[in-house]
């Protein structure tokens, strides 16, 4: 304000509408929720039936780790997750690309995928037993089936969204059909496919529990189911926390892949 | 009496007939209770519903979940219902056709085989485990969650053995898909399969209401036993009554054999075989499914009914 | 109402965008700001309109805005900034609603500004039905509706094809001739600058500083395409800027 | 080719990469799949354990309709779906908008939502009984919980994607904060919110089965569960077909709403 | 190699876009096509390049393309059409790979065209790091790499700001002066048309027909900003098009 008599400053009216993350707030929220639960369960204000003591959950976790059972449960679950999701995602991406490229395949398969999408996978458990047995097969199949539909939808959406001028450019330089698909359509669809995978993999984790309903002795899902049937809340929560961490981990991995593969995005 | 409104949890199985009869024949009303049934698809949520106070009384098998909830001070077993009794067709051990053809003719032959259970800590798990113990064999237990899934797995030969109530066992065996290879009662005589239970609060504070319920329930059980087991009353009328609740989607003539096949002993006066309960508790504890320091007193309130087998 | 920029400097973190810019914008004049890409023209305009605050220096309003002025400092954006879900008249009424002008009062204003921008027939059309030129005309109508003291235009014509640009320049000159307004007009296009500006402020490359201020005396309504005076001014501006423009263009963007 | 000696025509090299739908192909695929299943089951080439006869499924459907049981099952399921999804979606949209607008809420809740997302709802069934009882409450809660997380994620993504120039425009005209939120942010986020709802509602339908595991006598989910536990494939498929139709219907309704509300999109 | 358009007419369904267009494009000449929005300029260019087929009439190649020509008819697009995931040199090599040119042969070509477009220092940069002008230069380099007989340019400069446009026009004239190429150049910008075109074809409003063909005699490298001959030609073109441009602008788009 060099000389106020000259006039008044222009009022500021911008800013806002651009939330910036403050990391520590997230951590704080988690910590205070846990402390609140601990306090509530300790004082009895929250009954033992409603929530387990967070410290007990931690202890259960510790025991699980010490006894080596953690890895005994984690290993089969991870292998189911990886194999199932790999099958479902790869078939889903292939089918999605075919739908994105060919009129007849699109017309034939899109309604089918739309019809399959809202089918709950647990409803099909009895059938999966017959179709794929109660071994690893049915678990892979269930997870694959669950990841398949969202992957297909995301993939053909991504192919549809590939910039058409890029494709016309390829044609105008006389590139072969296969070159255009390989060098333009696929890389162009990659961002959409990866963000679809984020959802598909979250669904795969969710389906782990359903998959391990079928004759799984070990596995995080089986562990959770057993805890549920025994109404053992500490173990139930320990299992849920593992799945939740797994989800956060998978999402972080995809974020990493995105940063590596999609560095070209603005 | 007081005309109390109460909710009774039930599954659409013949083993819950005591409740159905007591309701239909007005025994609950006589005891001053205005009963409403709450039907469940599975036993486990029913136990949780008692704990949450959504349901007042129910009948179900002793399971790990039930014991856990009792340990949390939520529920109490107050009486007995279904029992294995010599001379009455009880639960069966089954072998899948594939296993049978491969030589599994008796429960002992299940050594090294896969035994189906719904979940770890279920009554199937207990029966199989006790049998294996008695025979000195090792089996692996395959949890399949749902009875339907187990039937599918048995039919397709993916599991080898299972144990189940007779009215499911017999038609399955009749179709040739599975074979009956033994009786549960041979290994677990006087097995207290299901029990009557309520919330710990009711057991402690609502003595009058709880006694009224057991009184009505016992009269229902008596009628059921008279008609279906002791043949001192009209079986057809009883089947008609039960058909109102069980197999309702099938015509009566198709439902009747299943209902009759499902007949098992319901303990008179809801007497409770404490020895069997203790054995079950011990087994759950030895398997590490429930806390090792849970006592029978925590699980059972023995003040309501006759205690047998002590 | 005049505007005075008083020693404005700004950095984003350690990235210096402009340095010590002082400028007077007097009432009834159009001041054009030209300069190479990234020299801070848009940022400067945001400072003037109060959408952002400079790190040092200040923007002063000298005198009071005229009677009936709802929004003294009013923007016209390069990409029109129309709400696609509102019709043409809905887009204009948006800026009246918050001042409590509704019903027939609003209708009167809307009809007036649509007539002045030759949009009367399009009151009910949605933005998606309009060509770029029409869209920018709607944005101009919306700005006129609040009766601004100063219009702040950030490359208002650069999203349009050059024929439409030509047409809209005529329209702007028309509007100004009928009722002179004050404006700060940012552009890359030197032809626009010499056509519309009473003064053209040339900024240097980043960090933007004022290199020169070119006054163009000829009255707006006498300026014509191919006018030798204007051509001379434009040539002069281009000579000032050419090398810097090339350097700005060849700069790698660190995204 | 007026005069070939003049020169050769320019070769055509464009076209393609723009699949056009042929409706009848979709219908054809469905019909042939059904006919194939009918043929396979009739000849015994597909065992009765693997698939039911489509004609038997149709007959089961007919019986279900004739007996009036169809509506007895449909009505409670629909009301659960509507109430549960309405609760979940409305809370989800509100929370999503708050996350989109406020830095602190974003920092606190985004990690929480990310942690909740991969938790399988069926794992929590025993807890839901304690928390919400066995009545309709727990069913609403389960469906609401399942629709909540994807709605939140879609909504704050949609708010983030609202064109920032529109918001700056609002500020530059001195619009109040609340006007900007109401007149610019909300309508601008609508397309993203609606396409998020598409997924959330599909998930709600999928969760119907899980919800009706909790002491439901009537309901499509309960019907399917019962059929599954009796290994009654005809009824299982009839139930699954109903859910699938429901899903297609919901998606069509959203399409309709989009066309009505979002006619302004190019 | 010359191009002949022979009585080209086209409709999309019942929507007539152009009617009976005949035109000769002779080797070494730049033909500019101007016309109001929606008159079918881009469509016509797609016909010439074989990306779309006209309903009637035909596009003929007269004579053979010169030796070493990999892609006789080569486009330069308004929005650059660079693959964002490939570096500058990767974008150029894209169009060589399909012709089996790899390794050192490809490297030689790439180095040469990048040098001609002053991009040698940017071979490894990604498109996102480049300004608009640089991006279009990459697209020009890519087009040069296939040694085209005819360049088809659809408003190649209209996505750029006017200073960059000025710079790129100089570059194009430079390229042409060193080695004349044949080009069909579609634009809205009459200044560009008179600066770059040997002939300027003026189309009428939709359905597009040829209204006039203006020849500009002055050699390209002698044309300058503010040149009175060019100003006269541009003024003439603008008079021809002004009313139609206004009418085209005021048309509702039926999306
Ligand atoms: N919010 C911001 N944060 C960081 N840097 C910014 C921000 N806004 C602008 N910049 C940078 O400040 C510089 C000036 O930006 P500004 O948009 O004002 O330039 P300009 O002169 O309008 O450029 P153009 O001619 O391209 O529109 C640019 O380098 C830009 O990247
Ligand atoms: N594939 C298509 N299907 C239907 N209509 C089309 C198609 N392509 C273009 N059109 C229409 O044909 C007309 C001419 O289009 P074109 O893009 O050739 O015009 P233009 O002269 O290039 O316009 P502009 O100057 O805006 O670029 C326009 O009205 C356009 O909407
Ligand atoms: Mg700018
Ligand atoms: Mg065009």
């Amino acid at each position: 304000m060099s000389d106020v008599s000259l006039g008044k400053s222009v009022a500021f009216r911008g800013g806002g509408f651009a939330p910036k993350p403050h990391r520590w707030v997230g951590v704080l929220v988690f910590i205070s929720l846990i402390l609140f639960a601990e306090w509530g369960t300790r004082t009895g204000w929250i009954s033992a039936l409603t929530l387990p003591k967070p410290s007990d959950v931690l202890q259960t976790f510790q025991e699980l780790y010490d006894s080596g059972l953690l890895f005994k449960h984690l290993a089969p679950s991870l292998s189911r997750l990886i194999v199932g999701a790999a099958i479902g995602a790869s078939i889903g991406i292939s089918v999605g690309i075919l739908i994105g490229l060919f009129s007849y395949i699109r017309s034939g398969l899109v309604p089918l995928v739309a019809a399959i999408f809202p089918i709950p996978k647990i409803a099909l458990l009895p059938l999966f037993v017959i179709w794929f047995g109660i071994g690893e097969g049915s678990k892979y199949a269930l997870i694959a089936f669950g990841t398949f539909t969202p992957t297909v939808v995301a993939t053909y959406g991504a192919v549809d969204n590939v910039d058409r001028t890029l494709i016309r450019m390829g044609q105008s330089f006389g590139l072969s059909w296969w070159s255009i698909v390989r060098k333009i359509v696929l890389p162009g669809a990659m961002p959409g496919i990866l963000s679809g995978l984020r959802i598909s993999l979250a669904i795969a984790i969710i389906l782990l529990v359903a998959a391990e309903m079928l004759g799984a002795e070990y596995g995080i899902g089986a562990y959770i189911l057993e805890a549920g049937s025994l109404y053992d809340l500490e173990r139930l929560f320990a299992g849920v926390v593992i799945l939740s961490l797994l989800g956060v981990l998978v999402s972080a991995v995809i974020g990493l892949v995105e940063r590596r593969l999609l560095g070209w995005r603005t | 009496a007081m005309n109390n409104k109460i909710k009774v949890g039930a599954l659409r199985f013949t083993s819950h007939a005591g409740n159905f009869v007591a309701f239909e024949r007005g025994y609950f009303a006589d005891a001053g209770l205005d009963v409403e049934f709450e039907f469940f698809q599975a036993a486990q949520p029913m136990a949780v519903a008692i704990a949450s106070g959504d349901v007042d009384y129910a009948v179900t098998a002793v399971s790990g979940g039930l014991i856990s909830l009792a340990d949390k001070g939520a529920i109490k077993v107050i009486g007995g219902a279904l029992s294995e009794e010599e001379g009455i067709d009880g639960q069966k051990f089954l072998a899948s056709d594939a296993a049978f053809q491969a030589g599994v003719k008796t429960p002992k032959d299940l050594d090294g085989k896969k035994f189906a259970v719904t979940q770890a800590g279920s009554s199937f798990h207990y029966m199989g485990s006790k049998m294996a113990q008695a025979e000195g064999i090792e089996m692996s237990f395959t949890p399949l969650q749902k009875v339907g899934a187990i039937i599918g797995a048995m039919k397709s030969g993916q599991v080898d053995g299972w144990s189940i109530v007779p009215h499911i066992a017999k038609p399955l065996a009749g179709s040739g898909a599975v074979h009956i290879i033994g009786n549960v009662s041979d290994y677990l005589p006087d097995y207290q399969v299901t029990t009557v239970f309520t919330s710990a609060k009711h057991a402690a504070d609502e003595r009058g209401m709880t006694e009224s319920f057991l009184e009505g329930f016992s009269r229902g059980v008596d009628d059921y036993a008279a008609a279906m087991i002791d043949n001192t009353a009209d079986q057809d009328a009883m089947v008609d009554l039960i058909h109102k609740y069980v197999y309702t989607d099938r015509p009566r003539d198709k439902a009747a054999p299943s209902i009759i096949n499902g007949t098992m002993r319901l303990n008179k006066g809801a007497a409770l075989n404490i020895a069997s309960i203790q054995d079950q508790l011990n087994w759950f504890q030895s398997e590490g499914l429930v806390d090792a320091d849970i006592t029978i007193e925590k699980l059972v309130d023995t003040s309501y009914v006759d205690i047998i087998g002590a | 109402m005049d505007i005075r920029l008083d020693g404005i400097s700004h950095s984003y973190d350690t990235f210096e965008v402009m340095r010590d810019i002082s400028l007077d914008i007097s009432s009834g004049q159009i001041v054009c700001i030209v300069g190479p890409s990234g020299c801070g023209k848009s940022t400067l305009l945001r400072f003037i309109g109060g959408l952002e605050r400079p790190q040092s220096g200040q923007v002063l309003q000298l005198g009071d805005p005229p009677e009936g002025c709802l929004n003294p400092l009013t923007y016209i954006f390069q990409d029109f900034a129309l709400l696609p879900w509102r019709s043409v008249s809905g887009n204009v009424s948006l800026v009246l609603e918050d001042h409590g002008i509704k019903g027939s009062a609003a209708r009167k204003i809307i009809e007036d500004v649509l007539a002045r921008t030759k949009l009367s027939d399009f009151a009910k059309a949605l933005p998606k039905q309009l060509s770029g030129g029409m869209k920018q005309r709607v944005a101009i109508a919306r700005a006129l509706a609040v009766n601004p003291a100063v219009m702040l235009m950030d490359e208002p014509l650069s999203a349009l094809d050059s024929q439409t640009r030509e047409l809209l320049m005529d329209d702007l000159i028309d509007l100004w001739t009928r009722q002179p307004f004050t404006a700060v007009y940012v552009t890359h296009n030197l032809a626009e600058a010499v056509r519309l500006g009473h003064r053209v402020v040339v900024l240097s490359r980043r960090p933007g500083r004022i290199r020169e201020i070119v006054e163009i005396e000829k009255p707006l309504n006498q300026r014509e395409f191919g006018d030798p005076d204007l051509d001379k001014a434009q040539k002069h501006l281009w000579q000032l800027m050419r090398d810097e423009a090339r350097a700005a263009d060849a700069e790698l963007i660190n995204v």
Side-chain angles (χ1 to χ4, degrees), chain A, chain B, chain C:
Chain A
M1 307 276 152
S2 50
D3 186 356
V4 185
S5 71
L6 274 174
K8 66 177 201 295
S9 225
V10 163
F12 178 64
R13 49 185 174 168
F17 295 101
K20 280 173 211 72
H22 306 278
R23 267 174 189 258
W24 52 270
V25 176
V27 176
L28 209 73
V29 167
F30 272 103
I31 291 178
S32 47
L33 278 181
I34 290 171
L35 285 183
F36 175 76
E38 184 74 29
W39 170 80
T41 44
R42 266 184 203 280
T43 58
W45 187 80
I46 300 173
S47 97
L49 280 177
T50 313
L51 271 187
K53 270 207 204 79
S55 54
D56 285 351
V57 175
L58 194 71
Q59 198 191 324
T60 309
F61 208 84
Q62 181 69 42
E63 281 165 13
L64 201 59
Y65 179 83
D66 289 342
S67 65
L69 271 175
L70 179 60
F71 296 99
K72 220 164 169 175
H73 285 298
L74 211 49
S77 285
L78 283 180
S79 83
R80 282 163 199 152
L81 207 57
I82 292 170
V83 175
I87 296 173
S90 55
I91 301 182
I93 291 175
S94 321
V95 171
I97 287 173
L98 292 177
I99 289 180
L101 291 177
F102 300 105
S103 294
Y104 284 95
I105 295 183
R106 158 165 308 215
S107 318
L109 293 189
V110 168
L112 205 62
V113 171
I116 289 176
F117 203 38
I119 295 179
K121 312 302 166 286
I122 23 172
L124 300 182
L125 279 185
L127 275 178
F128 272 65
V129 173
I130 300 287
W131 292 354
F132 304 102
I134 55 168
E136 295 301 293
S138 61
K139 296 169 190 78
Y140 296 157
L142 191 88
I143 293 178
F145 188 58
T147 42
F148 171 74
T149 34
T151 310
V152 169
V153 173
T155 304
Y156 81 72
V159 172
D160 286 354
N161 276 337
V162 172
D163 189 351
R164 255 47 194 166
T165 25
L166 292 184
I167 291 176
R168 300 291 160 229
M169 181 277 290
Q171 294 182 323
S172 79
F173 278 99
L175 264 60
S176 68
W177 185 88
W178 180 231
S179 277
I180 291 177
V181 170
R182 223 157 27 98
K183 297 176 184 169
I184 300 179
V185 176
L186 287 190
M190 201 47 79
I193 292 175
L194 280 179
S195 79
L197 270 190
R198 219 179 252 280
I199 293 177
S200 309
L201 291 184
I203 292 179
I205 293 175
I206 290 176
L207 284 178
L208 206 51
V209 172
E212 293 184 351
M213 280 187 164
L214 291 178
E217 263 195 275
Y218 291 105
I220 304 296
Y223 180 79
I224 289 177
L225 286 168
E226 189 183 315
S229 77
L230 297 172
Y231 208 84
D232 186 335
L233 292 187
E234 286 82 23
R235 287 205 257 165
L236 182 69
F237 270 72
V240 164
V241 167
I242 294 176
L243 286 189
S244 169
L245 289 178
L246 208 57
V248 172
L249 188 80
V250 164
S251 153
V253 167
I254 293 189
L256 215 76
V257 171
E258 281 182 338
R259 267 195 295 286
R260 294 229 46 182
L261 281 188
L262 308 180
W264 49 267
R265 285 190 304 186
T266 32
Chain B
M2 318 141 261
N3 222 15
N4 269 330
K5 246 180 134 63
I6 60 165
K7 280 196 171 164
V8 173
L11 303 177
R12 292 184 179 275
F13 288 156
T14 40
S15 49
H16 290 250
N19 280 324
F20 304 146
V21 176
F23 179 77
E24 287 292 324
R25 301 209 165 146
Y27 300 152
F28 283 137
D30 292 348
L33 298 174
D34 180 3
V35 165
E36 193 185 312
F37 286 124
E38 190 74 56
F39 288 99
F40 288 84
Q41 301 279 349
Q44 204 266 346
M46 197 156 68
V48 182
I50 295 262
S52 73
D54 284 290
V55 169
D56 299 297
Y57 300 96
V59 173
T60 189
V62 175
S63 63
L66 195 78
I67 298 173
S68 267
L69 286 167
D71 180 39
K72 290 190 160 65
I75 64 178
K76 281 272 194 233
V77 169
I78 52 170
L82 199 68
S83 288
E84 290 288 344
E85 186 178 302
E86 240 165 312
I88 302 176
D89 228 3
Q91 302 192 73
K92 306 291 184 195
F93 283 111
L94 302 178
S96 70
D97 191 48
F100 190 79
Q101 301 308 336
V104 178
K105 311 287 183 187
T106 66
K108 192 176 174 51
D109 301 330
L110 283 169
D111 192 17
K113 304 282 188 194
K114 287 188 195 162
F115 191 83
V117 300
T118 52
Q119 286 165 328
S122 63
S123 53
F124 304 104
H125 193 183
Y126 171 69
M127 289 185 273
S129 182
K130 294 300 280 191
M131 183 273 285
Q133 220 173 353
E135 294 284 3
I137 59 172
E138 289 277 343
M139 299 191 297
S140 63
F141 293 93
T142 306
L144 290 166
Q145 313 303 324
K146 296 269 160 35
V147 170
I150 296 178
I151 295 175
M154 287 290 285
K155 282 183 173 175
S156 51
Q158 302 183 64
V159 288
D160 306 300
W162 186 32
S163 61
I164 188 61
V165 288
H167 62 286
I168 295 180
K170 285 179 190 167
L172 275 177
S175 72
V178 304
H179 301 270
I180 295 173
I181 54 170
N183 290 309
V184 171
S185 57
D186 294 345
Y187 299 92
L188 293 164
D190 304 323
Y191 171 28
Q192 183 72 62
V193 184
T194 64
T195 59
V196 183
F197 66 105
T198 184
S199 65
K201 210 162 138 281
H202 279 8
D205 306 338
E206 297 279 359
R207 204 162 179 92
M209 188 168 84
T210 305
E211 277 169 351
S212 305
F213 171 76
L214 285 168
E215 180 192 322
F217 175 73
S218 300
R219 288 179 66 192
V221 167
D222 287 346
D223 277 17
Y224 175 79
M228 303 297 291
I229 301 171
D230 307 328
N231 288 322
T232 54
D234 182 4
Q235 190 177 6
D236 273 349
M238 182 55 68
V239 170
D240 281 341
L241 190 159
I242 294 173
H243 184 232
K244 281 190 181 168
Y245 294 92
V246 184
Y247 302 121
T248 49
D249 54 339
R250 296 189 209 172
R252 188 203 181 271
D253 55 321
K254 280 194 191 158
S258 297
I259 293 172
I260 294 166
N261 276 335
T263 303
M264 278 179 73
R265 170 64 74 189
L266 297 175
N267 288 354
K268 186 171 174 56
L272 183 71
N273 189 324
I274 195 85
S276 173
I277 300 293
Q278 181 70 58
D279 184 60
Q280 295 180 45
L281 177 59
N282 291 346
W283 177 80
F284 280 112
Q285 288 173 330
S286 69
E287 290 289 311
L289 293 164
V290 298
D291 257 10
D293 45 15
I294 301 173
T295 59
I296 188 96
E297 289 75 29
K298 189 94 195 176
L299 177 60
V300 181
D301 185 333
T302 52
S303 66
Y304 283 97
V305 298
D306 284 347
I307 300 301
I308 52 179
Chain C
M1 191 183 95
D2 297 355
I3 299 280
R4 167 168 300 168
L5 308 189
D6 190 11
I8 291 183
S9 305
H10 192 73
S11 309
Y12 288 111
D13 297 324
T14 59
F15 184 82
E16 192 177 6
V17 178
M18 68 187 73
R19 194 183 291 173
D20 193 31
I21 292 188
S22 296
L23 183 68
D24 272 310
I25 295 148
S26 39
S27 197
Q29 272 204 350
I30 299 181
V31 174
C32 289
I33 300 182
V34 298
S37 256
C39 73
K41 302 182 294 295
S42 302
T43 308
L44 189 64
L45 209 64
R46 285 200 296 275
F47 291 156
I48 299 177
L51 288 184
E52 217 170 310
R53 272 180 292 214
Q55 270 175 349
S56 68
Q58 54 184 331
V59 182
L60 298 171
Q61 282 175 240
L62 307 180
D64 284 325
E67 193 85 14
C69 167
L70 299 176
N71 190 46
L73 301 165
T74 296
Y75 278 90
I76 291 173
F77 298 88
Q78 173 178 1
D79 53 1
F80 324 132
L82 301 180
L83 302 186
W85 49 87
R86 288 199 178 210
S87 66
V88 167
S89 61
N91 264 288
V92 178
S93 91
L94 172 79
V95 299
L96 300 175
E97 288 160 15
D98 259 43
H99 296 283
I101 300 177
K102 276 170 197 154
S104 67
R107 225 169 13 250
K108 229 184 84 200
I109 296 179
I110 294 171
E111 271 166 23
D112 172 52
V113 295
L114 292 188
R116 278 159 75 191
T117 47
K118 303 175 197 156
L119 285 168
S120 301
D121 295 344
F122 300 92
K124 292 210 156 51
L126 284 174
K128 70 167 179 178
Q129 300 176 281
L130 303 177
S131 68
M134 301 287 277
K135 281 186 198 152
Q136 195 56 294
R137 249 183 230 128
V138 177
I140 294 171
R142 177 176 63 188
L144 293 176
V146 292
N147 207 353
V150 180
M151 296 244 246
L152 305 171
M153 313 200 205
D154 193 356
E155 309 194 33
L157 306 185
S158 69
L160 307 175
D161 68 66
S162 74
Q163 294 169 37
T164 312
R165 209 178 300 157
E166 209 62 48
L167 296 172
L168 265 173
M169 264 196 278
D170 287 351
D171 290 347
L172 281 176
I173 290 176
D174 240 41
L175 279 172
W176 191 88
T177 313
R178 266 187 267 163
Q179 186 183 339
F181 51 85
T182 321
V184 184
Y185 188 107
V186 165
T187 181
H188 263 110
N189 192 319
L190 304 182
E192 279 173 35
V194 298
R195 191 78 177 284
L196 295 174
H198 295 97
R199 293 199 295 161
V200 180
V201 179
V202 183
L203 295 185
S204 69
R205 279 187 72 199
R206 205 190 59 240
R209 273 184 283 188
I210 294 180
R211 275 188 64 170
E212 195 168 322
I213 298 181
V214 178
E215 305 259 350
I216 301 177
E217 305 288 345
K218 188 170 271 194
L220 277 199
N221 54 355
Q222 286 168 27
R223 301 184 188 179
E224 265 211 348
F225 178 84
D227 183 320
D229 291 353
L230 296 187
D231 275 358
K232 222 183 81 194
Q234 191 178 343
K235 223 169 191 168
H236 173 63
L237 290 173
W238 182 226
Q239 247 124 46
L240 276 174
M241 296 178 59
R242 181 184 190 115
D243 293 337
E244 294 204 328
R246 188 169 287 275
D249 188 44
E251 208 163 58
L252 270 193
I253 300 163
N254 291 309
V255 193

